[in-house]
Amino acid sequence: MNLHDNNDPGVIDVTPKPSSTPNNAAGEVTLDTPIVRGSQTITKVLIRKPRSGELRGTSLSALMQMDVIALTMVLPRVTVPTLTKPEIEALEPSDLAQLGAEMVNFLLPSADRIPASQST
């Protein structure tokens, strides 16, 4: 992750390095409403491709339908920085929809996936 100052001493951009994950293994979402965590402000969230074990406790169909409960269960396991369940529950609906769209994209066959730059 990059921790750098955005000309405001109270704002720390917690943006993951794109090179930290292989191609097509992560999607970045820019939040409409940043998450404030202590002295950090999270403006971008990287969602990495989940492994099967990280999908436990829910169903693929619930994730494909972007079910809020399913997303709240799985997103803390695959986000960088790691978002907590209360942070996900407090997201603006538009931000949850963006994160959900990235998650659904990983569940599609490779040929049907939308490149990360076009999906959000």
Side-chain angles (χ1 to χ4, degrees), residues 6-104:
N6 284 342
N7 299 326
D8 181 352
V11 176
I12 299 173
D13 185 10
V14 189
T15 306
K17 292 181 183 177
S19 61
S20 65
T21 57
N23 284 345
N24 298 325
E28 186 177 84
V29 172
T30 301
L31 301 173
D32 290 336
T33 304
I35 297 170
V36 178
R37 180 189 287 167
S39 62
Q40 297 178 344
T41 299
I42 302 168
T43 58
K44 294 183 180 182
V45 177
L46 187 75
I47 300 180
R48 62 175 183 72
K49 185 176 183 178
R51 294 179 297 270
S52 294
E54 292 167 323
L55 303 176
R56 70 187 178 284
T58 189
S59 68
L60 292 176
S61 62
L63 287 169
M64 292 294 286
Q65 294 173 7
M66 294 196 317
D67 177 77
V68 174
I69 295 170
L71 290 174
T72 303
M73 185 178 301
V74 175
L75 285 173
R77 302 172 187 168
V78 297
T79 53
V80 178
T82 302
L83 300 182
T84 64
K85 183 177 178 180
E87 288 171 334
I88 292 169
E89 290 172 344
L91 287 172
E92 292 289 326
S94 60
D95 290 330
L96 182 61
Q98 288 184 85
L99 293 169
E102 285 297 329
M103 173 62 64
V104 167

